[in-house]
Amino acid sequence: MAMNVLAVHRDTVGTEQAAGNSLAAYSVGVLCWLLSAGVYIAAKWVSTEMPPWALCFWRVLIAFAILMPIVRRHFGDMVALVRARALELLAIGGVGLAICQGMIFVGLEHADATTAGIIIALIPIITMILARLMLAEPMGRWQVIGSILAFLGIVVIIIKGSPAALMRLDFNSGELWIVAGAFCFSLYTVLLRRAKFDMNRLALLVLLLGAAVLTALPFYLFELFSDERSTLNGSGLIALAYVAIPGGAVMYYLFNRSIEALGAARAGVLLYIQTIFIAVLAYLILGEQLQRYHLEGAALIIAGLLLIILLKPKIKAEAATA
């Protein structure tokens, strides 16, 4: 009897510890996307004072410098990978961590942060479509329908719910830049999956940030030569410090930890929380309001996501029976 009670006690303690670990892991993931949401707010806040590529360049450079000492025990492997696959690292890191961010920052000069947050929620869907085209990953009927619904949601947002705007081709260029940024990040995800770099995840991220620094540098220099210089007053310095440290190095580190604790799939799903955080912060800090077309577009995107996420296992089950 005593042994049974002891066994039950051990099981209870083990369950409580597992629940505590899971809660801690999800908390890390949620904090990661909260910090990431703040980047959109900071970039929009100083969009009239700081050119987009300056913000992008300094963000990745400072994040790279902060994270580099943390991965020092992997330096040997990192040097070996750079020697073997430098161009591949440069292309993947450049597309995903420099060009993507630069496009989003350009877009935020003309679009509001709330709209940007909703558009960014498309990344998993674009990734799924690119994985189908580039990696031949399976894509079921409901995933196709869900993707179409999500695409229609983005169209509703870009034309602001007005079909007449579509007929006149009257689009906000900023929103198109953000869609392009979302596409670049999805392409980065698929290319990274195809590359299969065999290395510690955080060390690989530091190398990709280094590639992003090299990619963003020519765009930043072009801004300087075009006389688009940053106004480093109080607001500019605060925004730069935020996007580089809490929204850069800390956010990247937490995302890496959340993947280790939850796995890539569950950690990636938390991306959708970022959209909510952006909308709330944009309302509180920037005074942005949710418009009807935001809600209509978001409803279509969410419907598409639910079809993709909830019906995906059934597709696999049917394929296995056949």
Side-chain angles (χ1 to χ4, degrees):
M1 182 71 174
M3 292 293 290
N4 290 340
V5 172
L6 191 58
V8 170
H9 175 70
R10 277 201 305 264
D11 290 344
T12 307
V13 171
T15 306
E16 288 175 353
Q17 286 177 342
N21 291 340
S22 180
L23 179 61
Y26 276 107
S27 300
V28 167
V30 169
L31 178 58
C32 158
W33 291 116
L34 175 60
L35 294 177
S36 179
V39 172
Y40 292 79
I41 307 304
K44 180 64 182 176
W45 186 39
V46 292
S47 58
T48 56
E49 302 172 14
M50 182 169 289
W53 289 103
L55 195 60
C56 175
F57 172 76
W58 288 108
R59 183 191 188 203
V60 291
L61 177 62
I62 295 171
F64 172 79
I66 291 172
L67 292 175
M68 178 66 89
I70 299 175
V71 296
R72 58 186 177 277
R73 70 176 186 274
H74 299 286
F75 280 176
D77 293 338
M78 292 166 71
V79 170
L81 184 60
V82 169
R83 285 177 177 168
R85 305 173 71 177
L87 288 178
E88 202 172 353
L89 285 167
L90 182 62
I92 295 174
V95 166
L97 300 180
I99 294 176
C100 161
Q101 289 182 38
M103 285 180 165
I104 291 171
F105 292 160
V106 170
L108 284 168
E109 290 185 315
H110 309 285
D112 57 73
T114 304
T115 300
I118 296 172
I119 293 173
I120 290 302
L122 267 186
I123 286 175
I125 296 174
I126 301 173
T127 302
M128 180 188 65
I129 295 169
L130 289 177
R132 171 62 181 165
L133 296 175
M134 298 173 64
L135 305 178
E137 291 187 2
M139 190 171 170
R141 180 181 62 221
W142 289 110
Q143 290 174 296
V144 173
I145 295 171
S147 302
I148 292 171
L149 278 177
F151 174 75
L152 290 175
I154 291 303
V155 171
V156 167
I157 291 169
I158 289 176
I159 66 173
K160 295 181 171 48
S162 166
L166 183 60
M167 300 300 294
R168 297 193 307 268
L169 297 179
D170 184 15
F171 305 138
N172 182 325
S173 62
E175 291 161 6
L176 297 178
W177 276 107
I178 294 165
V179 171
F183 176 84
C184 282
F185 192 82
S186 298
L187 180 62
Y188 159 77
T189 304
V190 173
L191 291 175
L192 196 56
R193 196 182 301 171
R194 187 174 68 175
K196 295 179 180 175
F197 294 117
D198 185 17
M199 173 171 283
N200 171 271
R201 190 177 283 109
L202 188 58
L204 176 59
L205 174 61
V206 170
L207 286 180
L208 294 172
L209 281 169
V213 172
L214 294 176
T215 305
L217 180 59
F219 294 96
Y220 173 46
L221 293 176
F222 179 77
E223 278 183 345
L224 291 177
F225 290 135
S226 305
D227 210 26
E228 293 186 40
R229 299 178 186 274
S230 307
T231 309
L232 285 181
N233 54 17
S235 301
L237 286 172
I238 291 169
L240 179 57
Y242 179 84
V243 301
I245 303 171
V250 176
M251 188 275 291
Y252 288 130
Y253 179 77
L254 291 177
F255 182 60
N256 188 71
R257 291 295 300 272
S258 70
I259 289 179
E260 289 175 354
L262 297 170
R266 285 192 294 170
V269 166
L270 292 175
L271 165 71
Y272 304 125
I273 298 175
Q274 177 182 238
T275 298
I276 300 170
F277 285 147
I278 291 173
V280 172
L281 291 173
Y283 173 76
L284 294 175
I285 298 172
L286 303 175
E288 293 182 2
Q289 302 288 333
L290 271 174
Q291 305 297 329
R292 182 177 174 179
Y293 61 84
H294 285 137
L295 299 175
E296 291 170 347
L300 285 169
I301 293 171
I302 290 168
L305 287 170
L306 289 175
L307 284 177
I308 290 167
I309 294 168
L310 297 181
L311 298 183
K312 189 174 180 181
K314 295 183 181 178
I315 294 166
K316 287 183 177 177
E318 287 169 8
T321 344

